[in-house]
DNA sequence: GTTTAACCGAGACGGTACGTCTCGTCTTTCG
DNA sequence: CGAAAGACGAGACGTACCGTCTCGGTTAAAC
């Protein structure tokens, strides 16, 4: 009762096309940013006809998002150092590395840019939900260890940690130094280490 | 000793065209977002010929940025309540209102989107420099009052406050509730109220 | 073993577009002259999108020349009356009719006007080469009949015959009376009927 | 009763502008042909504002024609060798030199091209009338000498002589060799030396 | 193993927008 | 007040890209 009979085999022509297109798409996005991301260019690099891309992915945004998410599937590993501060610092450092890489920049740019396309929005929401859920265990472990009060909202913690990184990259354009990781981890831990009064 | 002889009078044809175009540009951006922002559409609404826009602003991005910055010139007022927490909360609240409005969304989107255009980058940098410098006085006053340690970096404080707002709007797309203002002000104050150890 | 699978069928969409555009192009040229010849106008009349014209013909000149030559393909018939004088008179008469018609005027105007465009020049050269070669047989027959000396250059003969017609139309703008045909045939025959001395 | 008081003196500002514009216009036409002939370009070279040109000459064609005719005012000298054949050969040689020069090419191109502009047409007619009248004396002298029959139409003679030159330059684009002058003179003399029979 | 259905290559086209280039007019400013 | 400087209206040009369509050929799954 193998489902490989239902769907095309992973080595078939379709799969080959799919891979080639994704490779090309990510490469183009990485090299030229979302501006230079053209269906024609992707088709040329993938050695595939433009029409084939439109047939499968419908629109340019669809292709970009699917390719990027496919290639960003390997989530950031969740550190487990035994200390919230160290966990957050390590996680932030990983994120900085990701965001500085072309793939990361391209992913974020694309998710932001196409905020009116429903497909993209759906993918985006799913993406962030997954991220926050996975990373949430860092906070849960800290709660269990008593480092932060019971009831601490993991999403708030993570947002405070990673928002400045995205902010710099997307809004102000400032460089993302790796030392930001430690700095932010410190601040976030201090912000959440005591129970909120109100 | 009037300088009105040097520069075209503010009511001349040029000035009229300029205003009409800016109005139309901001309106289009607000109503349809950066995607629907078309030189032709702006020209139509402004009752001005397309060519005139290209002559003056060169490219679509140039127009968008100049129009938005011109209309965003009125900086956010800097609150002065006597308490850092209240100042930050008030400031964040203002920013939330700004970001939720079409003009704010459009401005941020445009600045982000055209990060490869040198003109836009220059305008962006100047924009943020101005914002941070103005808002910095809130922190300086807090330092003077002894609420936060000597040497506290005002930019860090502000970034930690406003980054989550931009992050939500641009990255995750979550709604920007007005109560976020208080919440974030709390966190930021806690993060900076004690001297950093390292 | 049908080759109809290899090349697009002559009734396919491409062929239809081609015909419609040529019809429209020639009509516009005939009605409004080269000045009013606009890609947009041709597209409108042909019921075809402007872009499609640019795709196929590249530039306005390219379209004009190709359309005109396609429609002028039916060469002028070469008379064979048994007398050089009558042949030349008949040929000149045909040419006068052609040049007086809008198509002829437009063709000549266009070939002259775009003398800097390499494509046009190539088409022009080919056009004249064909014309002179075909018409040359009139002279060759006359040589065979002994009406003109051995070694008479057919091109010179034809040039002397038709140059005044083109000259009137393009340079001085004088009307092209049909009686010119006889007159010129006379002169040309006299000019060539005796062997050149030098 | 000097008219120099009525018309601006030939050294005034108007005259200077006029000269500068004509110089620039002819230079542009000579260098870049009618295609590159732009009011803006002429204005730039002449150091004059575009508007000034439009004020004076109205349209581009007006300027081109006036400038060219002004500069072509020195008519071709009429040879007087005592022999029709030599006169015609000399005249044709002069014409060849004129047509090969940029100014000549430009003049003919412009006169041809703007055949719909009434002003240009008027100038053209006057130009050719003058040319034919002046050159006609060659034929009249030949008639007086008995080289050609009484009643020979000088215009026909000249047309047969010069039409092939214009034809080559404007229609076929063939090079205008100087030896054509002799060749054509021969042919024309032969064509007209005996009385026409009909 | 043959059929058949899905998919791909190739190419043109409609449509929209961009940015450039002229022409010729009109307004504003200055001598 | 009249010319100089400059912006503007008008419209064509040519380019780039998006997404659709048609036709024919290939390849893979299904019988």
């Amino acid at each position: 009762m193998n489902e490989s009979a239902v769907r095309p085999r992973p080595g078939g022509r379709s799969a080959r096309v799919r891979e080639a297109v994704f490779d090309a798409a990510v490469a183009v996005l990485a090299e030229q940013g979302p501006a230079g991301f053209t269906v024609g260019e992707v088709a040329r690099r993938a050695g595939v006809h433009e029409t084939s891309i439109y047939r499968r992915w419908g629109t340019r945004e669809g292709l970009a998002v699917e390719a990027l998410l496919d290639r960003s599937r390997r989530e950031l590993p969740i550190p487990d150092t035994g200390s919230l501060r160290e966990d957050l610092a390590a996680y932030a450092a990983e994120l900085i590395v990701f965001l500085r890489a072309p793939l990361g920049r391209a992913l974020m740019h694309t998710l932001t840019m196409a905020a009116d396309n429903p497909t993209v929005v759906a993918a985006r929401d799913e993406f962030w939900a997954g991220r926050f859920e996975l990373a949430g265990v860092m906070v849960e472990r800290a709660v269990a260890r008593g480092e932060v009060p019971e009831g601490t909202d993991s999403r708030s913690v993570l947002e405070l940690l990673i928002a400045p990184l995205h902010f710099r990259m997307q809004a102000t354009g400032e460089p993302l130094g790796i030392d930001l990781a430690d700095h932010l981890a410190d601040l976030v831990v201090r912000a959440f280490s005591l129970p909120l009064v109100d």
Side-chain angles (χ1 to χ4, degrees), chain A:
Chain A
M1 195 77 146
N2 194 330
E3 72 173 329
S4 70
V6 178
R7 291 273 105 213
R9 305 230 185 85
R13 182 164 67 166
S14 292
R16 269 199 318 277
V17 167
R18 187 184 139 96
E19 288 309 303
V21 169
F22 279 177
D23 284 347
V26 171
V28 171
L29 276 168
E31 287 173 26
Q32 313 190 333
F37 183 74
T38 274
V39 175
E41 177 65 14
V42 173
R44 210 167 308 123
R45 290 213 200 190
V48 156
H49 203 274
E50 244 177 285
T51 322
S52 301
I53 293 184
Y54 281 113
R55 252 191 299 258
R56 272 238 193 124
W57 288 279
T59 77
R60 187 179 70 160
E61 276 78 23
L63 170 58
V65 163
E66 205 168 317
L68 286 168
L69 288 184
D70 180 272
R71 290 307 193 252
S72 306
R73 202 72 74 193
R74 316 189 290 286
E75 305 281 349
L76 298 178
I78 307 301
D80 187 4
T81 63
S83 139
L84 178 61
R85 194 191 164 287
E86 297 310 315
D87 280 1
L88 295 182
Y91 188 77
E94 287 166 12
L95 183 56
I96 287 173
V97 170
F98 176 73
L99 288 181
R100 287 205 294 212
L103 178 59
R105 310 183 75 86
L107 176 60
M108 289 308 150
H109 245 88
T110 302
L111 289 185
T112 297
M113 210 175 73
D116 47 351
N117 184 319
T119 312
V120 175
V121 166
R124 181 194 68 187
D125 291 349
E126 188 200 329
F127 172 80
W128 285 115
R131 272 244 167 135
F132 277 118
E133 188 182 341
L134 273 178
V137 304
M138 291 189 292
V139 180
E140 288 160 18
R141 284 197 291 247
V143 171
R145 283 192 302 261
E147 289 183 86
V148 288
E150 198 86 20
T152 300
D153 178 26
S154 71
R155 181 144 190 158
S156 285
V157 177
L158 293 167
E159 263 190 61
L160 201 66
L161 180 74
I162 71 178
L165 303 179
H166 287 93
F167 176 69
R168 287 204 172 189
M169 199 191 66
Q170 297 202 332
T172 65
E174 281 169 298
L176 277 180
I178 193 68
D179 51 334
L180 258 180
D182 260 11
H183 181 57
L184 285 171
D186 267 343
L187 292 174
V188 170
V189 168
R190 293 160 67 104
F192 282 94
S193 52
L194 296 184
L196 291 174
V197 198
D198 66 334

